[in-house]
Amino acid sequence: MPHEQIYTNAKIVTADDVFTGTVVVRDGLISEISEGKSQLSAAQDLNGDYLMPGFIELHTDNLEKYMNPRPGVDWPSDSAVLAHDAQIIGSGITTVFDALSIGDVNPKGNRMMQLPRMVEAIGKANQGGHTRADHRLHLRCEVSHEKTLEMFEKLVDHELVKLVSLMDHTPGQRQFVKYEKYREYYQGKYHLSDAEMENFIVRQRINAEKYSVEYRRKIAGICQEKNLSMASHDDATHEHVTESAGFGMQIAEFPTTHEAATLSHQLGMKVLMGAPNIVRGGSHSGNIAAADLAGHGVLDILSSDYYPASLLQAVKKLSELENGYDLPKAVATISLLPARAANLSDRGEIRLGLRADLVHVAQAGSQFVVRQVWREGERVF
């Protein structure tokens, strides 16, 4: 007999509607969707709360918090992955692309040394069935770092690598056009003296001249050969965007100007912005506000970036803005659209035949709260 679950008296959020009804799950797949309340004794009554598709996170570096919970503390990788996974699933995220940086801009950092251990720990936990979310890898390639291409070539064939983004955090362009913002961000983040900061800026500019153009072209070419989804990062100008589109990138991560976001959208790239930007009401780097892009209809995907719980709160805020994003459209920014951008055709919405990745969401005062989470029909939170 097939394994069956019934969830009823729920506000079901589909790709284009919200209605009170019932969802039946059989063997991990959505098998029935109907309006009205089930009278079957086996049905779980969700008391009028929302039933949403499992959230899909394309870009989060949340794992790094657990690898280095305090300065100088290097936490065991296996434990860090499971702690990270618990926070991810508790935020309603059923599919997560763990964003691992290749090329550390931090002069005092140890990301490059930690990277192989992080990859190994994620793979082992996923393969052993110890994670509750479905973990994939997103390789964030800092094209201005001398070791990036070498390390990328070592990791790109890992079975969990499904997304690659090309970044360039050189001062004076993209995210940090203004040098004062660059100094403020990195000097505060890495606790550098004034002299250390000046040397840091000089070194980053020299490395960019040596490596950025060549590494961007070579890494993009490898991704095209392997049919990997690609994302641009911090595009700011017409030239940035047309180059990214020419490389076949499907996603435009965190464009920093209206011009770049609008052109990316027009050229078919899905514009991804940070959910914290929505929740906080603006960018921590002083760039464009995600809500402004939503108002112009060019915001496609939200990412929690550094704060997993921000996805659900951003959806609520987005659905309340006067910009045409009703709740189904807002939810699609964290489910259907990231699924399509990452070539995941088996999930991302509540639809017959898709994976039963589901999130039970209640309203608690002014907030949305995750009550239950199912992955392929199995309750994981």
Side-chain angles (χ1 to χ4, degrees), residues 57-165:
E57 171 57 68
L58 296 184
H59 177 125
T60 177
D61 53 14
N62 186 62
L63 175 57
E64 293 182 356
K65 297 177 188 175
Y66 293 96
M67 294 288 293
N68 303 113
R70 286 191 176 182
V73 175
D74 191 3
W75 202 257
S77 304
D78 293 346
S79 174
V81 167
L82 296 184
H84 159 64
D85 175 71
Q87 186 179 13
I88 288 293
I89 206 70
S91 300
I93 299 167
T94 52
T95 301
V96 56
F97 286 70
D98 293 314
L100 305 182
S101 294
I102 303 178
D104 194 351
V105 298
N106 180 3
K108 301 179 180 179
N110 60 353
R111 270 179 170 177
M112 292 292 277
M113 290 186 292
Q114 286 183 334
L115 184 57
R117 290 193 288 114
M118 293 167 75
V119 171
E120 181 183 5
I122 293 167
K124 187 167 73 171
N126 222 36
Q127 189 173 27
H130 305 310
T131 54
R132 288 179 278 178
D134 184 1
H135 288 253
R136 281 93 188 299
L137 293 180
H138 169 176
L139 298 182
R140 303 177 61 205
C141 299
E142 186 66 49
V143 295
S144 61
H145 191 280
E146 61 180 336
K147 298 292 185 182
T148 292
L149 180 60
E150 176 186 345
M151 181 63 77
F152 173 76
E153 290 176 334
K154 291 179 180 178
L155 296 176
V156 68
D157 289 322
H158 192 286
E159 62 180 359
L160 292 184
V161 172
K162 303 296 180 183
L163 177 62
V164 175
S165 59

Side-chain angles (χ1 to χ4, degrees), residues 185-337:
Y185 181 78
Y186 283 111
Q187 192 164 13
K189 184 175 183 179
Y190 300 143
H191 309 292
L192 304 176
S193 68
D194 289 345
E196 287 174 330
M197 189 65 213
E198 290 307 313
N199 289 334
F200 176 70
I201 289 175
V202 171
R203 186 165 61 252
Q204 295 308 309
R205 294 188 66 182
I206 290 173
N207 285 344
E209 292 178 6
K210 282 185 179 179
Y211 307 115
S212 291
V213 173
E214 179 187 4
Y215 284 7
R216 185 181 298 274
R217 177 178 54 80
K218 286 187 175 179
I219 292 171
I222 293 170
C223 291
Q224 289 171 341
E225 291 173 7
K226 297 181 180 297
N227 198 30
L228 285 172
S229 294
M230 278 189 290
S232 62
H233 192 85
D234 293 340
D235 281 354
T237 67
H238 183 280
E239 291 73 20
H240 291 159
V241 174
T242 53
E243 179 185 53
S244 296
F247 283 135
M249 296 184 184
Q250 295 96 329
I251 302 165
E253 285 189 344
F254 313 117
T256 65
T257 64
H258 282 280
E259 175 192 12
T262 301
L263 183 58
S264 296
H265 189 81
Q266 291 172 348
L267 293 178
M269 289 185 281
K270 298 301 181 185
V271 175
L272 179 153
M273 295 293 286
N277 188 310
I278 294 285
V279 175
R280 296 178 65 252
S283 165
H284 71 274
S285 300
N287 293 313
I288 54 174
D292 290 343
L293 297 185
H296 288 85
V298 296
L299 171 64
D300 299 302
I301 297 171
L302 287 174
S303 162
S304 69
D305 197 3
Y306 57 89
Y307 203 94
S310 66
L311 278 188
L312 185 56
Q313 300 314 314
V315 159
K316 188 172 189 303
K317 283 185 172 290
L318 192 58
S319 69
E320 294 168 346
L321 296 174
E322 295 182 5
N323 57 15
Y325 279 61
D326 57 13
L327 187 60
K329 186 174 180 180
V331 170
T333 66
I334 63 169
S335 53
L336 179 57
L337 291 175

